[in-house]
Amino acid sequence: MSAYLVSETRTIAAPAQQLFDIVADPGRHPEIDGSGSVRAVRGGGPQRLSLGAKFGMDMHLGANYKIENTVVEFEEGRQLAWRHFNGHVWRYTFTPVDGGTEVTEQWDARPLPIWNRVGLQLTRFPTRNRRGIEKTLDRLAEIATGSHPA
């Protein structure tokens, strides 16, 4: 696996469509985000993501900033991915299995130019993203199974 592709998988005891619907709602991203960087959805975007949809987020990573994302992969109930201006792709896949759904979240920086990828390694971004992804999948499981306070 590439140092520029961080991928984690969990089996969650919930239907794939239910999990997909949570991730496809940008208003829920601050709730499921395990990195602590997603603060709020920005107004004017869609309530549900679809291919080509653009949605903005208020973020915090050392400082407050705003980011706009574009949905670049969309298969209803199965896969959803978005990219922001720098080219990173955040991808979720949902695969039904016995007892629930196998959910994979990926942070994919492989499309970035080499100079940008080197900077990511120097700042340990892939390692930090892995911890955030693990926490995000834990939160998604808690929300979907009802063990998370609403």
Side-chain angles (χ1 to χ4, degrees):
M1 184 168 295
S2 165
Y4 307 104
L5 175 66
V6 177
S7 184
E8 290 291 331
T9 301
R10 295 274 187 292
T11 298
I12 300 175
Q17 188 65 53
Q18 176 190 0
L19 295 162
F20 183 91
D21 288 343
I22 293 168
V23 176
D25 178 350
R28 305 224 40 198
H29 290 192
E31 181 183 2
I32 65 172
D33 172 49
S35 72
S37 62
V38 180
R39 298 302 169 105
V41 67
R42 300 191 46 77
Q47 291 186 352
R48 189 170 197 282
L49 300 178
S50 59
L51 187 62
K54 295 185 183 305
F55 65 102
M57 291 287 165
D58 289 335
M59 307 287 292
H60 182 87
L61 188 61
N64 292 331
Y65 64 99
K66 300 170 188 334
I67 197 156
E68 184 171 291
N69 302 290
T70 302
V71 176
V72 294
E73 299 170 17
F74 186 91
E75 183 182 344
E76 181 64 43
R78 304 283 293 180
Q79 184 165 314
L80 177 60
W82 56 86
R83 178 184 64 232
H84 64 71
F85 73 94
N86 202 26
H88 306 97
V89 174
W90 290 95
R91 178 180 298 111
Y92 288 82
T93 58
F94 306 87
T95 306
V97 296
D98 286 341
T101 303
E102 187 177 86
V103 181
T104 300
E105 181 182 356
Q106 296 179 329
W107 172 79
D108 190 353
R110 293 174 299 176
L112 301 179
I114 189 68
W115 57 267
N116 198 326
R117 289 188 284 162
V118 169
L120 292 172
Q121 285 297 324
L122 291 174
T123 59
R124 301 183 44 92
F125 220 75
T127 301
R128 287 195 321 243
N129 277 343
R130 183 172 307 282
R131 287 191 304 261
I133 287 171
E134 290 168 349
K135 290 179 183 177
T136 296
L137 291 172
D138 291 344
R139 286 184 176 192
L140 181 59
E142 290 170 356
I143 293 164
T145 61
S147 62
H148 178 77

